[in-house]
Amino acid sequence: MARSLGSNKEISKLPCPEKGQRLVWDSDVPGFGVRITAAGARSFIFNYRVRGTGRERRYTIGSVADWKVTAAREEAKRLRKVVDLGGDPIGEIEDERRKADEEKRRSKTVGQLIDRFEEEHLPSLRPATQKFYKLALKNHLRPALGKKRINDVDRSDVEKIFRKLTDLGQKHQANQCVTLTGVLFRYAGKWGWHTGENPTQDFEKNRLSGRERYLLPDESRRLSQAIEGLEDKQAAAILKVLLLTGARIGETCRMRWEQIDFHRATWIKPASVTKQKRDHRLPLTAPVLAVLSKIKEEQSPVSEWVFPGRSKEGYRNDIRSAWATALKAAEIDQLRIHDLRHSFASTLVGSGYSLPVIGALLGHASTATTQRYAHLADDPLREAMTRATHLIEATAKNEPAEVIQPDFGRKA
């Protein structure tokens, strides 16, 4: 039952409920009252229904300890007028809070975006990607954009970074910084920190000429001999596995014994180490199994890693010195370790294997990646054309010609 609320002193004497809360309504202003909790807390409130929706809402004016009843009643009268005119006092407060939260999110800087990206997303990436991203963020993106508000960054800011690196001859780095900036802004949008278009959208990057070096047959022979002669036998084993499998250096160095099935002659590379971020099952040949079997027999102390090392992770992660020694002994210039992978692919293509088969062996996620080796198939085709030409010319001259037997064993 409504009653005229007396003084604050009288309100303070109102009994508390045994549990929950008790509401005492004022008879003078509809919706105005006092809320009393079982713990003794007392607050002035205003109850109303939103016009149009009929939704009932309760607005807390303030504590009885902070408000005089007369002032609280006047505030309730003001709120009643707002409601009668179609307003929603609580809704307005919520809108203001929402706007404040949105403004707070929009005021985030690129530096704060980088901090969160490094903390939440970077650890899930491959070690090599983590290393590159950290350097690019530290050396290029943070210095150039770190203090800018995310929503203030536009295409021209990205172009400045891109042009600076391009002019220094670091075209690949320039492209990668654009890609990384795009990734950052995709996460900014996902987290509600950025609205509008990604500043890297439809960005025209540098065109890079592919650098693919393939071992010639004589180079391959000399390199194999040089690897066998290395004093660093562990590095020699790693290089031999790379040479005979076409695997990536990171995958090979992080090889664990649990990934090798000697019975089925397979190497299951887990998604955590593969570039395509999915498990890759690779058949192993007898020479590779022989290398691994010898290591397993001689390894002391026994390790979870096939190639244990002094890195903080526990595996061997640097064979540059041994690689330089092998190249010098083999008298080979301008060859990267990754070029062993290209050479492995070129051997498969030259042997007539299809691109899907080669892609499966190399662990490519897309056939487009394997397509880069398609031109290498020209060599066996040229050989076939040459033989056909000789046969036709010999027939025209009425000369005996070599009979070419078809090789049905060759893979299509």
Side-chain angles (χ1 to χ4, degrees):
M1 179 181 293
R3 50 172 288 185
S4 178
L5 295 178
S7 65
N8 283 53
K9 185 175 181 179
E10 291 176 301
I11 294 173
S12 66
K13 293 179 180 180
L14 292 173
C16 300
E18 292 184 4
K19 59 181 180 179
Q21 60 184 18
R22 175 190 177 196
L23 302 177
V24 180
W25 301 107
D26 182 55
S27 58
D28 296 337
V29 180
F32 176 54
V34 173
R35 179 178 58 223
I36 307 170
T37 69
R42 289 168 167 78
S43 300
F44 291 114
I45 58 172
F46 174 67
N47 252 45
Y48 66 95
R49 289 186 181 276
V50 181
R51 288 180 61 181
T53 66
R55 181 184 180 186
E56 184 177 2
R57 311 199 74 167
R58 180 168 297 162
Y59 183 102
T60 300
I61 297 174
S63 169
V64 172
D66 299 327
W67 285 73
K68 292 293 185 183
V69 66
T70 51
R73 185 177 285 111
E74 289 302 314
E75 177 65 7
K77 290 179 181 179
R78 184 189 70 79
L79 293 171
R80 171 53 60 191
K81 291 179 181 178
V82 172
V83 172
D84 290 343
L85 292 172
D88 179 7
I90 293 180
E92 292 172 3
I93 292 174
E94 290 175 344
D95 287 342
E96 289 299 319
R97 287 174 179 171
R98 191 179 301 111
K99 290 178 182 178
D101 289 341
E102 289 177 358
E103 181 59 30
K104 186 176 181 180
R105 286 196 297 269
R106 292 193 183 111
S107 66
K108 296 286 187 181
T109 66
V110 176
Q112 291 172 302
L113 174 60
I114 292 174
D115 290 340
R116 183 171 177 182
F117 177 80
E118 289 183 324
E119 179 181 350
E120 296 183 14
H121 181 64
L122 204 59
S124 66
L125 303 178
R126 295 185 308 119
T129 305
Q130 287 188 44
K131 182 178 180 180
F132 171 78
Y133 276 9
K134 285 180 180 179
L135 289 175
L137 291 169
K138 177 183 177 181
N139 297 332
H140 306 301
L141 300 190
R142 195 183 286 275
L145 305 175
K147 295 182 179 179
K148 292 181 71 72
R149 291 200 332 166
I150 295 171
N151 279 339
D152 289 342
V153 175
D154 58 27
R155 192 180 188 85
S156 65
D157 295 305
V158 182
E159 287 176 344
K160 287 179 183 178
I161 301 172
F162 176 77
R163 186 54 51 200
K164 178 181 179 180
L165 291 171
T166 299
D167 291 344
L168 290 172
Q170 301 175 24
K171 293 184 177 181
H172 180 262
Q173 182 87 316
N175 287 354
Q176 291 301 312
C177 279
V178 172
T179 299
L180 178 53
T181 303
V183 171
L184 286 173
F185 274 81
R186 282 198 294 275
Y187 275 95
K190 177 181 177 182
W191 295 331
W193 291 9
H194 177 253
T195 56
E197 186 178 278
N198 191 313
T200 66
Q201 186 173 331
D202 300 325
F203 198 101
E204 187 173 347
K205 302 177 185 177
N206 292 312
R207 292 186 178 182
L208 304 175
S209 56
R211 181 196 181 284
E212 295 179 4
R213 168 79 155 85
Y214 305 97
L215 281 169
L216 299 174
D218 186 57
E219 288 180 325
S220 182
R221 177 185 57 80
R222 298 201 312 269
L223 181 60
S224 295
Q225 292 175 349
I227 290 174
E228 290 291 343
L230 285 173
E231 292 184 8
D232 187 340
K233 296 304 178 185
Q234 186 186 63
I238 294 173
L239 290 171
K240 193 165 185 179
V241 170
L242 294 173
L243 188 65
L244 299 177
T245 65
R248 298 181 178 90
I249 179 66
E251 300 169 346
T252 304
C253 287
R254 292 196 292 277
M255 183 190 293
R256 298 173 184 263
W257 289 118
E258 64 184 27
Q259 300 168 9
I260 307 301
D261 188 331
F262 286 95
H263 180 68
R264 293 184 174 82
T266 55
W267 172 14
I268 307 297
K269 294 183 274 186
S272 59
V273 302
T274 63
K275 190 174 183 179
Q276 66 273 25
K277 296 183 180 179
R278 66 186 184 194
D279 291 352
H280 178 214
R281 184 186 183 90
L282 182 68
L284 297 178
T285 57
V288 178
L289 289 171
V291 172
L292 298 178
S293 295
K294 183 178 180 183
I295 295 173
K296 192 171 183 65
E297 291 173 3
E298 299 177 353
Q299 193 176 76
S300 179
V302 176
S303 171
E304 62 179 309
W305 305 100
V306 176
F307 304 109
R310 297 178 180 177
S311 68
K312 62 180 181 180
E313 296 86 359
Y315 56 82
R316 177 78 177 265
N317 64 354
D318 189 358
I319 58 171
R320 287 175 294 182
S321 178
W323 175 244
T325 301
L327 290 182
K328 183 176 181 180
E331 298 181 351
I332 297 176
D333 296 321
Q334 302 298 316
L335 186 73
R336 304 169 304 172
I337 292 179
H338 192 71
D339 291 328
L340 297 180
R341 182 172 168 83
H342 295 317
S343 296
F344 182 82
S346 70
T347 301
L348 292 173
V349 175
S351 299
Y353 288 91
S354 67
L355 294 183
V357 169
I358 296 169
L361 290 174
L362 295 178
H364 287 162
S366 169
T367 54
T369 305
T370 317
Q371 191 65 33
R372 67 197 293 190
Y373 300 111
H375 69 282
L376 297 175
D378 291 346
D379 291 338
L381 293 177
R382 185 175 290 106
E383 180 182 350
M385 286 290 291
T386 300
R387 290 190 179 186
T389 301
H390 288 166
L391 179 61
I392 293 170
E393 288 184 339
T395 301
K397 295 177 182 179
N398 198 25
E399 297 177 350
E402 176 188 2
V403 177
I404 304 174
Q405 297 294 338
D407 183 1
F408 295 108
R410 176 169 284 187
K411 278 59 173 182

